[in-house]
Amino acid sequence: MAFVFPDIGNPSGTSKADLSPALVSFLFGAFALGGLLVMVGSVPRTHRFAVDERGLWWRAGRKSDLIAWDELRAVRGQEARPPVKDDPNSRAVRSALVLTPVDRRFVTRHSALLRRLPTADPEVELRLPDTTTVRQLAQEIARVRPDLLR
């Protein structure tokens, strides 16, 4: 600590309080540990998906959910696309697994996974981090339930 704060423990003519090197080291360590804990807490949790005969499983930390196949009419993969350059109304399309549920209560039942309010649109987007994940899930769904994939 002495190389960072060379005057620790040596009173100067202008200082009003004398801080011991142990106290400064403790405060610096507590500040560094607090910063580290904030950084670790802000790291996004990884989402894990699995497909089996029952449905699409999702897990993120302590939260998990199962979308059963009998809750869906269709599933399709949507790859990310940038907005069209010449069209000012064009928007970027994010990679997602687009689900067509059987009923409107689907979003309510799976609120831990799908964070949006029910709308009139019959399709629900399960946003995924990248196109590779969309492709992998679509391949797994095609293997288990090819009749749902559109």
Side-chain angles (χ1 to χ4, degrees):
M1 283 310 271
F3 64 93
V4 176
F5 301 104
D7 291 337
I8 294 175
N10 299 328
S12 67
T14 60
S15 72
K16 295 182 181 179
D18 183 23
L19 297 176
S20 70
L23 178 63
V24 172
S25 296
F26 174 77
L27 291 174
F28 185 74
F31 180 71
L33 181 63
L36 180 66
L37 290 174
V38 167
M39 286 181 1
V40 167
S42 66
V43 172
R45 298 177 190 260
T46 57
H47 297 281
R48 300 179 192 270
F49 294 94
V51 176
D52 67 6
E53 297 79 25
R54 292 179 285 174
L56 175 67
W57 294 85
W58 165 80
R59 177 177 292 271
R62 293 183 182 180
K63 294 181 180 180
S64 64
D65 198 4
L66 166 68
I67 298 175
W69 297 130
D70 60 355
E71 295 182 84
L72 299 174
R73 288 186 188 158
V75 178
R76 69 179 166 85
Q78 173 178 289
E79 294 188 8
R81 290 187 317 252
V84 178
K85 292 181 182 178
D86 297 334
D87 186 6
N89 296 328
S90 176
R91 290 183 160 182
V93 176
R94 296 180 63 180
S95 58
L97 200 62
V98 181
L99 311 170
T100 306
V102 173
D103 62 355
R104 295 196 183 275
R105 293 186 311 264
F106 179 81
V107 175
T108 306
R109 283 193 307 270
H110 301 287
S111 61
L113 178 59
L114 307 166
R115 294 187 182 132
R116 68 172 214 163
L117 298 173
T119 61
D121 189 12
E123 293 183 336
V124 177
E125 286 186 4
L126 175 58
R127 292 188 178 166
L128 298 172
D130 57 14
T131 304
T132 306
T133 307
V134 171
R135 287 183 188 152
Q136 288 174 346
L137 281 174
Q139 288 173 353
E140 289 294 315
I141 292 169
R143 183 182 56 79
V144 176
R145 287 295 304 265
D147 58 312
L148 288 178
L149 207 57
R150 305 274 184 244

